[in-house]
Amino acid sequence: MVTESAIGVNWGTISFHKVKPTTVVDLLKDNNIEKVKLFESDPDVLKALMATGIQVMVGIPNEMLSSLSSSTSACDLWVQHNVSRFMGKAGADIRYIAVGNEPFLASYAGQFQNLVFPAMTNLQQSLERANLAGYTKLVVPCNADAYEASLPSQGTFRPELTQIMTQILQFLSSNGSPFVVNIYPFLSLYGNSDFPQDYAFFQGTTHSVTDGSNVYTNAFDGNFDTLVAALNKIGYGQMPIVIGEIGWPTDGAISANVTAARVFNQGLISHVLSNKGTPLRPQVPPMDVYLFSLLDEGAKSTLPGNFERHWGIFSFDGQAKYPLNLGLGNKALKNAKNVDYLPSRWCVANPYHDLTSVTNHLSLACSMADCTTLSYGGSCNELGENENISYAFNSYYQLLQQNEKSCDFDGLGMVTFLDPSVGQCKFLVGVTDKSSSGAQVSDRRLTWVLIVWGLLVSLT
């Protein structure tokens, strides 16, 4: 088995400030990125990807697995509306359909476990009826918690998953599909204070792991080979592996910063593209690696941590956060062009007013907009009190497309034309959404905010 890795990206769209899909596709093309993974089938995104030659993996959310597992007609309809109509001559190059997103995650307590294989079976039949089964392959992105071991060579799938994994692997093998896994050394470091920091990176470690004659100097290789061992134990040791998600966030936690993200991602890319492989698969790196992620997603849930909104190698507006050579022909990232920004103005705390009554306003602003950079370890964590207030006010103001009412805060806010950014702490300017639907969304946001604000006032 000989393979050469290709670097792709995850393109998530859970953002308050969405750049036009055509602008993002131009960003992909300018950076020679030829593989992209989507978490759902967005018509505007798929239309923008048509006739580009970019290979696409389209995701199916876990919440859809129930209907797809129980209804062949639902699968036919999904394939027709989300795959078939975008393919064909000068169409989108949809190579993979991801059935669920980490559906076997331990924290889901088996909620989706028995839905995945029936959904795959039904979808495969739908692809066959649409004459796409020979081209578009089904995969199941799994979290690395699907397998476990104290040493890589002892890797096994979790006991409750052995049967379903055997079924899925047989399916994948018979249809020429790879096994897709998401590996996050950052989360190992973030969730375990005893985890050796240098083992998370690729620059060498004083905490290597010895497994028989094999020595592991980074968490990625150790995790990857734990999966290889688990696959081998149920007869699929040669199964091609794709890394569906891997990356490092730049904000929102102590170990999440631009320097660490650059060192990790560049180390990963260099390691994978060297074709060195791992101890259990020498000279056989993963067939594809999808960086997580392309853009920051400021509207994502922060339940895993405040860093969850800051995984992008580009900021929300397609501007590179740090130098990175993707190994795709450019020595550095190229920024997005022709981004439609709102006017260069910001909302800040009014220095001429007493701010002692600001608490409810702050609660409102940060419950609606993204204030995660203000958290401990964040890039804006060391701002003074007034600057903290200004950051929250501005995030809210930009969220509401700079609506004049959204910088009032009972007279505590004011608009400025001087950029209030401080050092690494950037006060954003939003992007425009000129579509009528975007305008309607902004109107609905403002209406909802006024309702929330009325409730807050009534409680004080």
Side-chain angles (χ1 to χ4, degrees):
M1 183 169 59
V2 178
T3 184
E4 288 192 6
S5 291
I7 303 297
V9 293
N10 285 270
W11 175 4
T13 57
I14 307 175
S15 178
F16 292 130
H17 306 280
K18 290 186 181 181
V19 177
K20 290 184 296 187
T22 51
T23 301
V24 179
V25 168
D26 286 341
L27 176 67
L28 294 171
K29 288 158 58 176
D30 287 345
N31 286 281
N32 299 326
I33 297 170
E34 297 180 346
K35 292 175 182 281
V36 67
K37 180 168 165 279
L38 309 174
F39 292 93
E40 58 188 0
S41 179
D42 183 317
D44 292 332
V45 169
L46 288 172
K47 285 175 186 174
L49 285 164
M50 292 173 70
T52 61
I54 296 172
Q55 297 178 17
V56 184
M57 181 187 296
V58 174
I60 297 175
N62 292 331
E63 292 71 26
M64 295 186 66
L65 294 177
S66 179
S67 61
L68 296 177
S69 67
S70 60
S71 170
T72 55
S73 59
C75 288
D76 287 345
L77 198 60
W78 189 90
V79 168
Q80 178 186 340
H81 280 270
N82 299 287
V83 181
S84 301
R85 72 184 177 116
F86 297 106
M87 294 183 70
K89 189 176 181 180
D93 188 5
I94 301 175
R95 296 293 184 97
Y96 296 110
I97 296 170
V99 184
N101 183 37
E102 301 185 334
F104 306 120
L105 200 64
S107 59
Y108 290 150
Q111 179 181 356
F112 306 108
Q113 187 168 316
N114 296 323
L115 304 177
V116 177
F117 190 69
M120 292 180 77
T121 303
N122 288 344
L123 284 164
Q124 182 67 19
Q125 293 171 359
S126 295
L127 288 172
E128 289 169 358
R129 284 190 285 272
N131 294 316
L132 293 172
Y135 190 81
T136 303
K137 305 294 184 180
L138 300 176
V139 294
V140 183
C142 292
N143 186 278
D145 78 348
Y147 46 90
E148 53 197 8
S150 55
L151 290 172
S153 64
Q154 299 170 4
T156 58
F157 288 106
R158 298 198 322 256
E160 71 272 22
L161 296 181
T162 302
Q163 183 177 354
I164 181 67
M165 280 298 178
T166 302
Q167 287 181 306
I168 288 174
L169 287 164
Q170 185 177 9
F171 179 98
L172 296 175
S173 179
S174 64
N175 288 288
S177 298
F179 188 93
V180 179
V181 64
N182 301 338
I183 297 177
Y184 281 107
F186 169 80
L187 295 180
S188 300
L189 179 64
Y190 177 79
N192 183 358
S193 58
D194 295 326
F195 191 88
Q197 182 163 331
D198 58 2
Y199 189 64
F201 296 88
F202 297 88
Q203 278 63 46
T205 180
T206 57
H207 302 85
S208 59
V209 173
T210 300
D211 184 5
S213 60
N214 295 325
V215 178
Y216 291 87
T217 60
N218 65 79
F220 174 78
D221 284 359
N223 196 310
F224 186 90
D225 274 2
T226 304
L227 170 59
V228 172
L231 291 169
N232 194 51
K233 285 182 175 63
I234 52 177
Y236 292 94
Q238 300 301 305
M239 170 70 67
I241 296 173
V242 165
I243 307 301
E245 298 176 28
I246 187 167
W248 201 279
T250 58
D251 216 324
I254 285 292
S255 50
N257 55 71
V258 165
T259 300
R262 180 186 60 79
V263 171
F264 177 82
N265 281 328
Q266 195 63 74
L268 168 72
I269 292 165
S270 299
H271 178 63
V272 168
L273 294 184
S274 73
N275 293 324
K276 179 182 177 182
T278 63
L280 293 187
R281 283 195 176 178
Q283 283 78 55
V284 186
M287 60 183 287
D288 292 326
V289 175
Y290 293 87
L291 296 179
F292 190 84
S293 62
L294 180 64
L295 304 168
D296 280 349
E297 296 177 84
K300 286 189 75 176
S301 167
T302 56
L303 194 59
N306 288 326
F307 56 81
E308 194 65 18
R309 295 178 174 178
H310 304 281
W311 289 95
I313 57 176
F314 294 92
S315 53
F316 74 93
D317 53 352
Q319 306 306 297
K321 296 184 189 176
Y322 47 86
L324 188 66
N325 184 345
L326 296 174
L328 300 173
N330 297 335
K331 292 185 177 179
L333 298 175
K334 293 186 177 181
N335 293 332
K337 302 170 185 172
N338 304 315
V339 178
D340 294 324
Y341 290 100
L342 294 167
S344 295
R345 58 190 180 211
W346 298 261
C347 180
V348 296
N350 191 328
Y352 305 107
H353 282 66
D354 180 0
L355 298 174
T356 53
S357 62
V358 78
T359 303
N360 283 340
H361 298 286
L362 275 178
S363 297
L364 170 68
C366 289
S367 67
M368 305 298 291
D370 178 30
C371 296
T372 52
T373 58
L374 297 174
S375 60
Y376 180 63
S379 60
C380 301
N381 178 239
E382 297 182 359
L383 296 179
E385 182 180 1
N386 281 19
E387 291 165 328
N388 268 306
I389 295 167
S390 293
Y391 186 92
F393 280 8
N394 183 64
S395 295
Y396 177 80
Y397 176 63
Q398 305 296 338
L399 169 67
L400 294 185
Q401 297 278 295
Q402 300 183 357
N403 182 289
E404 60 180 329
K405 297 177 184 176
S406 65
C407 189
D408 181 41
F409 297 105
D410 285 346
L412 301 183
M414 60 175 282
V415 173
T416 179
F417 296 92
L418 297 176
D419 186 349
S421 298
V422 181
Q424 294 296 313
C425 178
K426 304 299 181 186
F427 282 57
L428 66 86
V429 171
V431 295
T432 62
D433 186 342
K434 296 176 180 176
S435 68
S436 58
S437 62
Q440 290 166 6
V441 168
S442 294
D443 289 343
R444 287 198 298 272
R445 280 180 189 159
L446 183 59
T447 301
W448 169 245
V449 163
L450 292 173
I451 292 171
V452 173
W453 172 238
L455 289 172
L456 285 172
V457 169
S458 69
L459 291 172
T460 58

